[in-house]
Amino acid sequence: MIGSLLLDLSGVLYDGDSIIPGAVQAVDRAQRGGLEVRFITNTSRKTREKLLQHLRMLDFVVEQDQLFTAVDAARQWLRQRNLRPFCLVHEAIAGEFADFEQREPNAVLIADAADGFNYRNLNYAFQLCIEGAPLVGVGYNRYFRSGDKLLLDAGAFIRAIEFAAAAEATIVGKPGAEFFEQVVASTTTPPGRTLMVGDDVFGDVEGALQADLQACLVRTGKYRTGDEEKISGNFDTVDSIVEAVELALASRA
Amino acid sequence: MIGSLLLDLSGVLYDGDSIIPGAVQAVDRAQRGGLEVRFITNTSRKTREKLLQHLRMLDFVVEQDQLFTAVDAARQWLRQRNLRPFCLVHEAIAGEFADFEQREPNAVLIADAADGFNYRNLNYAFQLCIEGAPLVGVGYNRYFRSGDKLLLDAGAFIRAIEFAAAAEATIVGKPGAEFFEQVVASTTTPPGRTLMVGDDVFGDVEGALQADLQACLVRTGKYRTGDEEKISGNFDTVDSIVEAVELALASRA
């Protein structure tokens, strides 16, 4: 019996400005049906405020404390350790790190920096890491979908720096187990009765399974035929969030 | 008894415009002592012509057919397969691929593109590879040394695209076994009596050992304390090319 539902955003609820058909009504049914709903994203091209605005503009009903972002998790992780990060992040979220001392950095944060991923910045990140600075990444996301294009995401660049500096990144978002645990801890439901719904078979589905949650892969967003064959473990693959919510509600009937 | 000597260039013979002390005389002793000498490099910021000029400017005696470059190997590999490469390469060597059709590319070549490693180019490389275009890389070189700085090399970016597109690159330079085999085939010496001398414990030393050559790591160039612990296998670690040549000549005495 599913007690709470963790929903990835892009590719599950919407693609850019287009709502996945039926998604608004499905989220509404889930919340009215007694499921504890959380929104959980590695997206790092928008601030938390902009994400909330975007969701509400698309008519999703979402409260501040239902939204969990990898960017927030990165802030916390760096703050707890009192680090001075070199932030390889998108200009749209640079302000989220404005209150950190960033001169003489002793840590590296890699989010989806988009055009910030240039040789100069990547080289500097590498030089810090090979000298021992901890590397923090939002997630191992390989790519995301934008319109009809797939675009490189932060994971590729995190892997590049890990390889060059022989370092291992701390992943503060999905598929990091701590991130899932933090979200689950905000609900009254144990992990085993929590269902993660996502379009990324690695970050969303495999990550959730490794954190002992249940998981469901949707065939929307970045999903590509055969993705469900890429990992092992027990999970459902469904057409969209509409079917995922039906599954969760049916488990309570 | 060593019959031929394969010498990496940057970090073994010189650092930028500075000769590694004793290197010119050591190469001379090797050639006069009867060793078949080959120069073998993954460097992809200079054309073959510029490399030869640079070596000769520094007083090394080198013939055209003693120099083997990963860039030449890439040209051959692409030409044999009649491919139209998207060339993520340094502007200095773009001309080496001018005779390839590059419109509607159906392959990706990654060399050390330096500032060419921007988001737009990497994204395009990724999009081609995820649709199945073969990925060709000069080598898995993590970084190289320039003055007192370590700089990111092509390997990091090859790894990034491999990860994002779930693809495996064909490495045409070191540590690819085919590259070593091609160089050895230009000599009269079998692999087991060929000594590769390099400052990169992975590309030079591990690669040579895997191709059944002998190998010697020098403590110049990009060498960092402890590098020799990073791989297994039988090889010597010496202060510089001077000692490496002594070892090779001593084996013939």
Side-chain angles (χ1 to χ4, degrees), chain B residues 188-205:
Chain B
T188 64
T189 310
R193 299 204 293 112
T194 300
L195 179 67
M196 171 73 212
V197 182
D199 64 335
D200 187 318
V201 73
F202 300 109
D204 296 325
V205 176

Side-chain angles (χ1 to χ4, degrees), chain B residues 74-218:
Chain B
R75 281 182 50 82
Q76 277 174 36
W77 196 94
L78 292 163
R79 185 59 81 207
Q80 281 162 2
R81 287 158 185 81
N82 203 21
L83 291 165
R84 304 184 301 275
F86 169 57
C87 294
L88 198 32
V89 303
H90 198 278
E91 55 187 9
I93 69 155
E96 305 274 294
F97 296 90
D99 55 336
F100 281 83
E101 173 62 57
Q102 296 184 44
R103 281 171 300 184
E104 297 185 34
N106 60 2
V108 171
L109 167 64
I110 301 185
D112 175 14
D115 290 334
F117 288 126
N118 57 44
Y119 186 69
R120 187 159 161 264
N121 284 340
L122 288 164
N123 208 36
Y124 188 46
F126 155 72
Q127 287 169 343
L128 289 166
C129 290
I130 201 168
E131 293 303 332
L135 173 61
V136 184
V138 285
Y140 282 128
N141 302 56
R142 289 157 160 82
Y143 52 83
F144 63 97
R145 194 188 173 95
S146 175
D148 61 347
K149 294 255 191 284
L150 299 180
L151 299 181
L152 270 180
D153 208 336
F157 298 93
I158 295 168
R159 287 292 195 197
I161 301 303
E162 285 185 323
F163 175 69
E168 194 178 343
T170 297
I171 298 300
V172 291
K174 298 174 286 183
E178 274 186 50
F179 190 52
F180 286 111
E181 285 159 15
Q182 189 188 4
V183 181
V184 170
S186 78
T187 71
T188 64
T189 310
R193 299 204 293 112
T194 300
L195 179 67
M196 171 73 212
V197 182
D199 64 335
D200 187 318
V201 73
F202 300 109
D204 296 325
V205 176
E206 191 174 42
L209 294 176
Q210 280 169 358
D212 297 322
L213 278 62
Q214 296 191 49
C216 185
L217 179 67
V218 290

Side-chain angles (χ1 to χ4, degrees), chain A residues 30-92:
Chain A
Q31 308 219 59
R32 283 190 294 107
L35 288 162
E36 299 183 273
V37 175
R38 297 293 181 271
F39 302 86
I40 159 174
T41 183
N42 280 3
T43 298
S44 52
R45 288 192 179 193
K46 282 198 174 94
T47 60
R48 140 181 291 275
E49 275 320 304
K50 292 278 182 197
L51 282 170
L52 286 168
Q53 273 176 31
H54 189 65
L55 284 166
R56 288 165 181 165
M57 185 263 287
L58 297 175
D59 282 335
F60 291 100
V61 177
V62 47
E63 300 297 324
Q64 272 274 7
D65 57 5
Q66 286 181 290
L67 176 63
F68 290 80
T69 77
V71 173
D72 286 343
R75 282 182 49 83
Q76 278 173 37
W77 195 94
L78 292 163
R79 184 60 80 207
Q80 281 162 1
R81 287 158 185 82
N82 203 22
L83 291 165
R84 303 184 301 276
F86 169 56
C87 294
L88 198 32
V89 304
H90 198 278
E91 55 186 9

Side-chain angles (χ1 to χ4, degrees), chain B residues 231-252:
Chain B
I231 65 166
S232 56
N234 274 323
F235 62 95
D236 289 308
T237 305
V238 299
D239 280 347
S240 80
I241 183 175
V242 176
E243 289 74 18
V245 168
E246 292 311 317
L247 275 181
L249 289 173
S251 78
R252 301 166 65 84

